[in-house]
Amino acid sequence: MEPRIVVLTGAGVSADSGLATFRGGGGLWEQQRVEDVATPEAWARDPALVWRFYQRRRAALRDVEPNAAHHALARLERELAARGGALTLVSQNVDDLHQRAGSTVLAMHGQLARLRCEACGARVDDREHLDPARFVPCPRCAHPRLRPDVVWFGEMPLFLDEIEAAVRAAHVFLAAGTSGNVWPAAGYLALARAWSAETVVQALEPPANLDRADRFVGGHAAEALPRLVDEWLARWPA
Ligand code: OAD
């Protein structure tokens, strides 16, 4: 059998690199209300506040590196491909740590390292303009301010058809470092279960959408994910 594995990651996977999660003690949504900074309405009402919030997070990317969890998933992609199988890595994370570790990622909530023009639709890779007090104009149409190319609440996540097809076809589905609060990502665990995948959940504490049929693996992603990857690669030897 050619193994097909789908992994959905959330903020917990980047926590071991030093990036804040959203919920729980010290989480981003404890310090800042979602409605103030992560909706299209907030951007229309107070773009300077929204821009400051995202510029800080964009700048923080310079100070972090992929951890052992990111590297393990990049290894899993390479090793499964060598066995004729496939890993589909889906991430809610807007940091670029999976990409920097060498993974191919369906970044369903967008990317901090990209900006987007609401006037002409241009998408721009930008890691240089990090001043929280200065907007970045569009290099194509000169619109005065690009927005972060991230999905805000009330907006449609990216790659939904592709993700759903991969989840339905998966032999194994892992949700790692995600609290199961944000849809549609939170629904993929139940979808994978309904389509008979073996379901594994990895996080510090059991998430909201955990079911008795799921195998829960507690602990830090940087320790737990390399072990899970070793286990799967031993199950499907080259
Ligand atoms: P949350 O902050 O909601 O949940 C983080 C999860 O990671 C929790 O289940 C923790 O137990 C777990 N966790 C924390 N540290 C960990 C570690 N070192 N190793 C393993 N697990 C750890 O983050 P998400 O579920 O990713 O969306 O949040 C989902 C979405 O909500 C985000 O993409 C963002 C946010 O609002 C948008 O901005 C659209």
Side-chain angles (χ1 to χ4, degrees):
M1 187 183 72
E2 291 156 359
R4 289 188 299 271
I5 299 181
V6 175
V7 176
L8 169 71
T9 63
V13 168
S14 294
D16 289 332
S17 292
L19 290 174
T21 61
F22 294 95
R23 297 167 185 80
L28 285 172
W29 297 154
E30 307 263 294
Q31 299 155 32
Q32 191 85 55
R33 291 178 347 144
V34 170
E35 309 86 286
D36 291 338
V37 291
T39 65
E41 293 76 19
W43 178 241
R45 191 174 55 236
D46 193 347
L49 176 72
V50 173
W51 187 242
R52 267 200 308 277
F53 175 73
Y54 281 96
Q55 286 292 77
R56 278 196 211 107
R57 292 178 60 201
R58 281 160 48 75
L61 294 185
R62 287 180 308 188
D63 306 327
V64 293
E65 295 291 338
N67 65 56
H70 300 102
H71 290 301
L73 292 172
R75 180 163 76 95
L76 182 63
E77 178 181 338
R78 287 192 304 272
E79 296 282 333
L80 284 182
R83 290 157 168 77
L87 171 70
T88 303
L89 177 58
V90 179
S91 189
Q92 299 165 89
N93 296 345
V94 291
D95 65 58
D96 58 356
L97 295 179
H98 284 306
Q99 290 88 336
R100 281 200 250 156
S103 287
T104 312
V105 192
L106 297 174
M108 64 184 296
H109 290 167
Q111 283 286 283
L112 286 172
R114 246 179 10 229
L115 301 174
R116 175 154 61 88
C117 180
E118 286 181 314
C120 75
R123 284 193 149 94
V124 183
D125 283 318
D126 183 302
R127 293 160 199 273
E128 285 157 37
H129 299 100
L130 299 171
D131 186 340
R134 204 177 275 233
F135 290 114
V136 178
C138 177
R140 190 157 86 186
C141 76
H143 181 69
R145 52 177 182 248
L146 297 173
R147 60 167 275 181
D149 193 15
V150 300
V151 174
W152 282 325
F153 285 87
E155 296 182 325
M156 191 64 90
L158 310 171
F159 309 113
L160 294 184
D161 290 347
E162 211 175 318
I163 296 169
E164 194 169 318
V167 172
R168 285 170 192 259
H171 300 115
V172 177
F173 176 89
L174 165 69
T178 176
S179 63
N181 278 297
V182 173
W183 289 74
Y188 294 139
L189 181 60
L191 183 68
R193 222 183 281 126
W195 283 80
S196 308
E198 176 186 327
T199 48
V200 185
V201 173
Q202 200 288 309
L204 284 185
E205 65 269 355
N209 57 349
L210 187 73
D211 184 88
R212 283 168 46 192
D214 306 325
R215 170 181 164 202
F216 178 68
V217 179
H220 283 249
E223 285 157 23
L225 263 57
R227 280 205 304 272
L228 281 169
V229 166
D230 284 344
E231 185 186 309
W232 291 328
L233 293 177
R235 192 193 304 178
W236 288 292

